[in-house]
Amino acid sequence: MQIEVIIRNITPIFSASPEGAYIGLDGTFNPSLDKPRFPVTRARTLKVVAEDSNGVAKPVHLPVVPGNTMRNLLRRTMLEYVIQPALLDKAAQLSIGAYAAAYSGSATGNPDGVPSSFDETVALRSHPFIGLFGGGPRMLKGRLMVDTLYPIHGNSERIIGSDYINDSVSGQITDVVWTRRNDPVLALGEAQDAAVIEGGAQAANNWITNLLATTKAKKAKAGKEGGEEPGEASESKRGLNAFNAHEVVIGGVKWLWRINADQPTKAQVGLILLALSNITNLRIAGGHAKDYGRFVIDGVTLNGQQIWSQNSFSGQDLTPYFDAIAEELDSLSKAEFEQFAASAKEA
């Protein structure tokens, strides 16, 4: 079974690369050391093959959101908006280990090293939630496969196909956002401003004195070692003034998200659909404090049939799936989650 979701981000998406980088004032990444440069967090990319303007195929870097990020988004939505409310309606509380296992797949980083019994495997794989994600100390095989979130862009056509050509864009879809952090102590201008600080004006003076001393020492050290890195020498362990930047995918881009499930039960399909109907309450990737990652759903297909219109499910009769998950939620208990999370080694 395959579900395809068309997502449109209405605020920038910030899926950060773990690699460190610098940016110059002109927007150049990793400029030479003799030019001013500042820390920048690059957007996550994946190298794919695309055709250039001359029709020549070559590898390019395409901004993406990793499948694991999207899988976790789907998991959190199911738990926060479907599973947890059903458990709370029954006054059922999970142990801390079962709660951790539900959200992360395991309560510890040490699997048992032995498989589940046949009976346990059959029971847990039919569970609407546990059966989808699997995991746990006995490494239960889940049914759910979540693909990378690909932008519908000319460079991704070889990956997602040409069916989405009407939603495709071309050109650069990333931009750099500059941020400035200010030292609040340096902004103090009146005696009463320091009244709330323990030690008052003296503490503020000490802070500034330490800042100047540290900055001077760093400059002297940099001079002895053959030059400082512009844009960094003025920083110190005590100073808070700093420029940095991060790279984002601009708003308004459409994305294709593919969700596959291996022979799911009707209740498991229903749970995925319920999650999709609530998923825009959460955010994609990071930068949530800046309201990054907000999105809407423009379309959903189930096995190739359109089932989404005007921000809700429509079209194909989905009643069997919703009835099945409703029945499962009526009988949902904490017992399966505790069994899933419990280690056989400790039994």
Side-chain angles (χ1 to χ4, degrees):
M1 183 222 65
Q2 184 178 79
I3 294 176
E4 292 191 351
V5 186
I6 301 297
I7 285 171
R8 174 166 46 89
N9 62 302
I10 54 179
T11 61
I13 284 183
F14 180 51
S15 183
S17 168
E19 300 174 2
Y22 292 93
I23 188 170
L25 294 174
D26 61 354
T28 301
F29 291 106
N30 295 321
S32 59
L33 295 178
D34 61 342
K35 295 182 179 179
R37 61 185 202 155
F38 303 85
V40 60
T41 303
R42 297 297 304 270
R44 189 76 63 97
T45 61
L46 184 67
K47 189 174 286 188
V48 301
V49 174
E51 294 182 2
D52 63 17
S53 57
N54 297 318
V56 178
K58 61 180 182 180
V60 298
H61 288 278
L62 181 72
V64 298
V65 179
N68 191 55
T69 298
M70 299 305 296
R71 181 182 172 92
N72 287 336
L73 176 64
L74 190 62
R75 179 196 290 267
R76 287 187 1 250
T77 306
M78 290 178 180
L79 287 168
E80 291 184 25
Y81 291 95
V82 184
I83 301 298
Q84 285 182 191
L87 290 173
L88 290 175
D89 283 345
K90 302 175 180 63
Q93 293 182 307
L94 302 179
S95 67
I96 190 67
Y99 178 87
Y103 270 90
S104 65
S106 180
T108 72
N110 300 310
D112 286 350
V114 295
S116 299
S117 67
F118 176 76
D119 290 341
E120 182 183 46
T121 298
V122 171
L124 292 181
R125 277 179 60 82
S126 64
H127 189 276
F129 176 81
I130 297 172
L132 282 174
F133 289 94
R138 288 169 297 288
M139 301 299 292
L140 180 73
K141 183 180 179 180
R143 299 181 186 273
L144 189 68
M145 293 159 283
V146 177
D147 199 3
T148 295
L149 184 66
Y150 289 103
I152 301 177
H153 186 279
N155 287 344
S156 64
E157 186 172 331
R158 285 188 172 214
I159 308 298
I160 66 175
S162 58
D163 293 342
Y164 308 96
I165 192 69
N166 292 334
D167 293 318
S168 182
V169 296
S170 60
Q172 186 171 336
I173 57 173
T174 59
D175 198 3
V176 173
V177 178
W178 287 86
T179 62
R180 167 79 173 173
R181 186 180 65 200
N182 296 315
D183 190 326
V185 177
L186 297 181
L188 297 175
E190 303 291 341
Q192 61 267 27
D193 293 343
V196 73
I197 301 174
E198 183 178 355
Q202 186 59 50
N205 286 330
N206 291 341
W207 176 280
I208 295 171
T209 299
N210 289 337
L211 168 61
L212 294 174
T214 304
T215 301
K216 183 177 180 180
K218 287 186 68 176
K219 287 185 176 180
K221 181 180 179 181
K224 291 179 181 179
E225 294 178 354
E228 63 194 36
E229 289 199 4
E232 294 185 340
S234 62
E235 306 302 329
S236 72
K237 294 180 181 178
R238 295 299 298 271
L240 295 178
N241 282 338
F243 272 115
N244 55 57
H246 54 269
E247 187 179 25
V248 301
V249 177
I250 60 176
V253 175
K254 289 191 176 183
W255 307 70
L256 176 63
W257 183 27
R258 290 182 171 133
I259 303 168
N260 291 275
D262 179 25
Q263 298 181 335
T265 66
K266 289 183 178 179
Q268 289 168 341
V269 177
L271 181 57
I272 295 173
L273 297 180
L274 282 180
L276 291 178
S277 67
N278 288 279
I279 201 166
T280 55
N281 291 321
L282 299 181
R283 301 285 184 268
I284 295 174
H288 301 172
K290 300 178 179 66
D291 200 28
Y292 288 171
R294 192 149 51 93
F295 67 101
V296 294
I297 293 177
D298 281 347
V300 181
T301 62
L302 174 61
N303 291 333
Q305 298 296 314
Q306 185 62 238
I307 59 172
W308 187 268
S309 178
Q310 300 297 320
N311 299 319
S312 64
F313 290 108
S314 65
Q316 181 179 337
D317 184 14
L318 304 176
T319 302
Y321 303 119
F322 289 126
D323 285 349
I325 185 58
E327 184 176 345
E328 289 284 352
L329 293 174
D330 284 342
S331 60
L332 190 70
S333 71
K334 62 176 288 185
E336 295 89 351
F337 290 93
E338 300 295 345
Q339 177 187 354
F340 168 70
S343 171
K345 294 179 180 179
E346 299 172 0

